[in-house]
Amino acid sequence: MNNETTTNIIDLSRNLQQKETEIELLQQTFTEIGGELDLDKVFQIVSERARKLINADTLLIPLLDDNCATYTYRGGAGANSEEIIGESLPLEFGVCGWVWKHKRPWWQGMLNELSDEEKNRWEKEVGTMILVPLQGKRHFLGGIAGLNKTGGGSFDKKDLNLLQLFASIVSIAIENAMAVKSMEASHKLNEDYRHRLETVNKQLIESSKELEYLSLFDSVTGLPNRTLLYDRLSREISEVERNDSTIGILLINIDSFKDFNDALGHDRGDDLLNKIARRFEKGIRHNETLARLGGDEFIIILPDQDLLQVTHRAEQFISGLKNEFTVSQQNMVVNASTGVAIYPEHGTTISHLLSHADLAMHEAKSSKLDVCVYNPENDHSAKSLLAMIVEVRKSLEKKQFELHYQPKVDAKTGKVVAVEALGRWTSERHGEVPPSIFIRVLEDNSLIDEYTYWAIETALKQAKEWSKTIGVMRVAVNLSPQTLMNPGFKENIDRVIKNNHDGNLLTFEITENLFLSEFDRLADVLEHICALGVELSIDDYGTGYSSLSRLRRLPVSELKIDQSFIREMVDNKDDQAVVHSTIELAHNLGLTVVAEGVERQSVLDLLVELGCDTIQGFLISKPLAIDAFDAFIKSRNR
Ligand code: C2E
Ligand code: MG
Ligand code: MG
């Protein structure tokens, strides 16, 4: 064997040995990172192995950033690598930019392929650099770069091939680990959102609890308010109905409270009310309810007590006031007048009982008595109502009632969007009788159902007529709670709304007091109505006794704010606050809001500002008979 041959053999075996080492290195890398999902660890392994593989002083892994405008050195090994890792640079910068653009590796041999101009530009800078692209399965990821061959010289074609092979092996592992990392990040984001959602939900529950409290208790005295009183009273009534007992109702009005308020100022006036409430509270037993109706009026419900016991208790409450009150170091004597009504003797519905207790209270005031019991003899309105029954009955038979129609307009566009049908009756003896009176006569004499079905049929016929002439428009009919809760209602309404589309032309206006009815049955009836296409509107909202949580659970779509809040709202901040919060509340519950009784432009302007949806009132039009209504629509459309 000559010398040359010996050298060749030695070279060959060295080459073979090197190949072995390289293959082993590649294999090792592959096994190590194949199952590794920690991105930093993957970068560390890849950098160290690659540096060994091509004998580079420094090895770096530049990767494209999500913004696609920069790249960042995400991993590295060897000289100065620690200082470079984490650096971000613009995409077009340096040889990386070249590799991104051409999706080809860079090494010294590349220089020969460049134009002279490019060659001049790159030669000095990148003579000792090698950079191969990292191409993932889904995306272009970036590259692996080697800087300065250990012990001098340049990276050659062999280094290039090796590094390319290496890059193709590790790219998928890098891509997977990156995907896991971004999944982890979005998981964390999800967790954060969930956490925030939980907090917001908690806040919502808190504030709805607060709203619920505010809607049931009086803020000055902490006593049950009207709503809760109505709820308790209706429960007591159904309880007492079962065991044939009686309930006493005391309506206590503080005499000349306005004078106290004027003299003391509102805050101290409230203080006095609070002290009065505490004094009454002392005389209340566990099954009795003391409530504040607002202003200077208190109600006490005394279950299972007869007239004698109730009057005695009333006198005790009043004499309890005789001891002086001290407010802001001033002593004062408070007097009150009490009206008494007894269930069932003086009325079987809450509104009758309360209005009779009220009548008795006024009687007490005018006769300067502490306590007065309701006496129908003194109830002049009851007497004249009695005289009306016969005539009302006759008019109903002869269909002598009429409907007038009042437009509801869109607050922003002024377009007529719906109408309300209002009953009208002219009595031969009394002339025009307002619905507030004749409806009560109908209700008290079980004639209201018959009247209501007539009203619904008449309004529906009219709405169909209009859908041919003016356009489709819902007509609202007012429903008495009595009719709605009548066991035959569902069947009757199915009879009236025969045609599938007819329901879409109707709205029923119901009052808040309905919400005191047995909830499941009410919900069942209301859902039945809605299934027919009829919309439900809460009339006179704010004067009654609805509980927020109940309202939310019923299929209601409109809320009509009572005119008593609308009338003075421009000048009265309290009314304005009620209107404002009602609009917000209604919108939060997904309801549209109608303002009733709008008579002035300034009120309309303010309502528009507050976001009210629909306007009804004399400013637009009074309720009109058919001909006048048609003429109104014609001139308005023009
Ligand atoms: P409601 O349903 O709240 O109807 C609105 C009342 O306010 C109507 O009084 C209407 O004429 C009046 N109104 C409308 N805009 C204004 C305004 O800008 N200023 C003033 N001052 N008043 C305005 P109406 O027709 O006397 O009816 C009174 C109530 O009688 C109705 O109140 C409703 O509760 C009841 N009612 C009327 N028709 C029927 C009916 O067919 N069935 C039943 N169950 N109740 C009816
Ligand atoms: Mg109405
Ligand atoms: Mg109303």
Side-chain angles (χ1 to χ4, degrees), residues 408 507 509 536-538 556-560 591-594:
K408 295 175 170 180
T507 299
E509 293 194 5
L536 288 168
S537 173
I538 311 271
V556 169
S557 53
E558 183 182 88
L559 212 144
K560 296 182 76 176
L591 309 177
T592 47
V593 182
V594 182

Side-chain angles (χ1 to χ4, degrees), residues 172-210:
I172 292 165
I174 292 180
E175 192 173 38
N176 285 348
M178 280 168 81
V180 168
K181 186 144 192 175
S182 85
M183 254 158 60
E184 276 170 4
S186 60
H187 177 73
K188 188 172 175 300
L189 210 71
N190 269 345
E191 281 290 296
D192 285 353
Y193 278 135
R194 206 175 54 81
H195 197 72
R196 265 160 56 190
L197 214 78
E198 265 170 17
T199 320
V200 171
N201 265 344
K202 253 187 222 148
Q203 283 167 350
L204 251 165
I205 291 168
E206 284 300 310
S207 61
S208 73
K209 265 191 205 148
E210 213 172 289

Side-chain angles (χ1 to χ4, degrees), residues 211-218 223-228 547:
L211 271 170
E212 188 74 32
Y213 180 84
L214 286 177
S215 72
L216 295 179
F217 293 91
D218 163 46
L223 293 179
N225 66 9
R226 248 174 215 277
T227 311
L228 193 52
S547 136

Side-chain angles (χ1 to χ4, degrees), residues 420 422 478 509 511 538-541 543 560-563 596-597 616:
E420 175 172 9
L422 293 153
N478 293 278
E509 293 194 5
T511 55
I538 311 271
D539 206 354
D540 307 337
Y541 184 81
T543 58
K560 296 182 76 176
I561 307 179
D562 189 67
Q563 26 186 307
E596 294 187 296
Q616 184 179 357

Side-chain angles (χ1 to χ4, degrees), residues 541-598:
Y541 184 81
T543 58
Y545 314 93
S546 68
S547 136
L548 211 68
S549 57
R550 291 192 166 204
L551 187 64
R552 207 179 319 164
R553 283 151 53 201
L554 292 167
V556 169
S557 53
E558 183 182 88
L559 212 144
K560 296 182 76 176
I561 307 179
D562 189 67
Q563 26 186 307
S564 57
F565 299 102
I566 303 294
R567 220 174 291 133
E568 321 247 292
M569 64 178 283
V570 172
D571 306 309
N572 184 327
K573 294 290 166 221
D574 288 345
D575 288 350
Q576 207 178 105
V578 171
V579 173
H580 192 173
S581 59
T582 305
I583 293 175
E584 299 229 312
L585 173 75
H587 284 172
N588 284 341
L589 296 174
L591 309 177
T592 47
V593 182
V594 182
E596 294 187 296
V598 178

